[in-house]
Amino acid sequence: MPERIGSISELRSAYREHRLTPAELAETVLEGLAGRAGEPVWISTVSAEELRTRAAALTDTDPQTLPLYGIPFAVKDNIDVAGMVTTAGCPDFGYRAAEDAPVVRRLLDAGALLVGKTNLDQFATGLTGSRSPYGSVESVFGGGLVSGGSSSGSAVAVAAGQVAFALGTDTAGSGRVPAALNGIVGVKPTRGLLSTAGVVPACRSLDCVSVFAVDVAGASEVLHAARAVSIADPWGRALPAERFTARAPGTLRLGVPRTVDLEFFDDAGQAVRFAAGVHRLRELVGTVRQVPLAPFLAAGDLLYQGPWVAERLAGLDDFLRTHPEAVLPVTRTVLETGRRYDAVDAFRGRHRLRELRAEVDRWWQEMDVLVVPTVGTTFTLDEIAEDPIGRNAVLGRYTQFANLLDLAAVTVPNGFTADGRPASLTLVGPAFSDTTLARLAAAFAEADPATATTSGTVVAPPIRHDGTPPARTEVLIAVVGRHLTGESRNAELTDLGATLAGAARTAPLYRLYRMPTPDGEGLPGLVRVASTAPDGHPIEVELWSLPASAVGGLLAEVPAPLSLGWVRLHDGRDVLGFLCEAYAAGPDAEDISAAGGWRAYRRAACKEGSPANASCIAGDPS
């Protein structure tokens, strides 16, 4: 198997310690390309002679003087490289670029070594990696899993260890979905921070150049080296000076989607991993609150169900009319829908987007970062072939709103499902929050080294080679209140096939509150306190075994301010369980932690004849 390329930091250390030279690295790169010859990751590569020549030119240069000295990289083939053909995934569209795109030129000037240009969904229209005449790209994890697109080749080249970083583009999620499905980091910067001059437009007003790397630090270094305003780019924007310094994670207010807005498309594995990721983030940030996703999702729907699809057509209309046979049928179908919209529709769409942005902006007054799943589920190439447009839309649910709402985003790995598929989450923030998002993303990755990548190597449990997952296991759920045996919402568990597995106590890290409800019974809420706080209590819980396939259904039924998260048990285990947002434990909530549990509190209330206990009054002494 070809040797993998290390991360940017590993290569830099090797150069500075004289354990590696650019010439030696070039040979490793060439061996890697030869070892994966025939795979549809690359559309074109520089010649071996050119790569060796560029590497040799660095020999007498001090590695300390160039930020990306000898770092090999790839470029998505809708970005111009002087002397190379830009195809945008369509051979008949191809042209030989006269000059480098500004973003490429800055990387070359920083000492990076260009390896070649990568495959993509044709005209950057798609999120699957399967819409290319150069071949469908499979995820680095195999099993028939799609690589994600449209920046499919760039993501796989990084995840497979052929290069240390790669450029993609991102209009609807093309720099995030492939990162998620290949277990790497994807940075979608604020629109305009990286110049889009010399990039074949997909939707010019929304397009971004994105960065793939194996870790957040590497992606951030590339972003810094490539960032500049080009006079050739009317869409360029500079990062304000006051945003150069990132805020510390502990000062941030994290927004978590309300459970009713989360859709995992019956994929319990992704639901469980997202809950785990949110649990880890809670330990890093200052405060957490639930927020509605509805205005974000509504904005995202405008991208393909509104006049912006006509903007996609605007840049390709002449070619599409004169070379219809050169465009893949699925790509042509998407682009041709742009003909449905006129100028009136365009203004109506802009007005609707402005309304949604105003609503979203109000939520940014109450949070600094929003966390979302990068994808709600995954698909195989065969599944995408069955419904190429519908399932493409599923992959874009949590990504396609970002550029319309002028947001920045960083996608990071979030472990693997029980059947070996990659999971991921994305941190989203307002325009120019890029450095703060990167700092939180790096802290998230460091908080769980098991999900991190090293040396460009991404390791996961095996996926079956026929693309079908093994039988899914059951998930243990800790319940603390109305879902307990005999309580009013216990049927929500039993109807989903859950069975009682036993009783337990939490670690002394929680407080239990009774929040008032119209029926007088009260809603119990378990709130985690800081691990260093002295006022945590062990709380009685029941453990229920739930089929993993039913987790998504249960999640959809959990009302705010409750959510599913990870609960630490007295024996040190972490299990999924019902938690309450801290904001709900306000002045009207009764702290019942000292009782040790919901049932114990109810028994005491019955004995005291408390009128607040409606169930006791009804004759339920439990």
Side-chain angles (χ1 to χ4, degrees), residues 129-206:
S130 63
R131 300 177 178 179
S132 171
Y134 295 96
S136 297
V137 183
E138 186 182 49
S139 166
V140 72
F141 298 115
L145 193 69
V146 295
S147 63
S150 61
S151 309
S152 51
S154 288
V156 171
V158 171
Q162 293 184 293
V163 292
F165 74 90
L167 295 183
T169 59
D170 190 316
T171 304
S174 297
R176 290 162 282 161
V177 173
L181 296 178
N182 290 281
I184 58 174
V185 170
V187 171
K188 187 216 77 67
T190 297
R191 289 194 333 240
L193 279 192
L194 296 187
S195 173
T196 54
V199 177
V200 177
C203 193
R204 191 181 293 275
S205 67
L206 303 179

Side-chain angles (χ1 to χ4, degrees), residues 279 282-283 505-513 525-541 566-574 578-580 582 591 593:
H279 177 72
R282 288 175 185 270
E283 303 292 315
R505 286 179 299 150
T506 70
L509 298 171
Y510 300 89
R511 298 194 73 81
L512 186 64
Y513 293 88
L526 187 68
V527 177
R528 179 157 182 167
V529 299
S531 56
T532 56
D535 56 351
H537 287 255
I539 304 297
E540 294 178 352
V541 297
W566 290 92
V567 175
R568 176 68 53 85
L569 298 182
H570 198 269
D571 59 10
R573 286 181 294 164
D574 288 320
F578 288 93
L579 292 169
C580 179
D591 189 340
S593 309

Side-chain angles (χ1 to χ4, degrees), residues 254 281 369-372 408-412 425-429 437 440-441:
L254 179 70
L281 282 168
V369 178
L370 172 68
V371 58
V372 293
V410 177
T411 291
V412 287
L425 57 78
T426 295
L427 303 174
V428 182
L437 293 176
L440 178 58

Side-chain angles (χ1 to χ4, degrees), residues 107 247 349 619:
L107 296 173
R247 288 179 54 185

Side-chain angles (χ1 to χ4, degrees), residues 35-210:
R36 300 179 74 99
E39 296 183 9
V41 174
W42 301 87
I43 290 179
S44 60
T45 56
V46 300
S47 68
E49 179 183 3
E50 182 177 355
L51 183 62
R52 288 172 175 140
T53 299
R54 290 186 177 184
L58 293 171
T59 302
D60 296 328
T61 303
D62 183 352
Q64 306 266 16
T65 63
L66 293 173
L68 296 175
Y69 176 93
I71 307 297
F73 76 106
V75 171
K76 183 177 180 179
D77 195 24
N78 61 342
I79 303 174
D80 285 350
V81 173
M84 298 187 75
V85 174
T86 300
T87 71
C90 181
D92 288 352
F93 178 83
Y95 61 89
R96 193 170 299 278
E99 59 185 10
D100 296 318
V103 67
V104 173
R105 173 42 51 193
R106 287 188 61 83
L107 296 173
L108 294 173
D109 289 345
L113 292 173
L114 177 67
V115 176
K117 307 189 74 179
T118 54
N119 201 355
L120 68 155
D121 284 323
Q122 192 172 65
F123 295 121
T125 301
L127 294 170
T128 67
S130 63
R131 300 177 178 179
S132 171
Y134 295 96
S136 297
V137 183
E138 186 182 49
S139 166
V140 72
F141 298 115
L145 193 69
V146 295
S147 63
S150 61
S151 309
S152 51
S154 288
V156 171
V158 171
Q162 293 184 293
V163 292
F165 74 90
L167 295 183
T169 59
D170 190 316
T171 304
S174 297
R176 290 162 282 161
V177 173
L181 296 178
N182 290 281
I184 58 174
V185 170
V187 171
K188 187 216 77 67
T190 297
R191 289 194 333 240
L193 279 192
L194 296 187
S195 173
T196 54
V199 177
V200 177
C203 193
R204 191 181 293 275
S205 67
L206 303 179
D207 292 341
C208 291
V209 173
S210 66

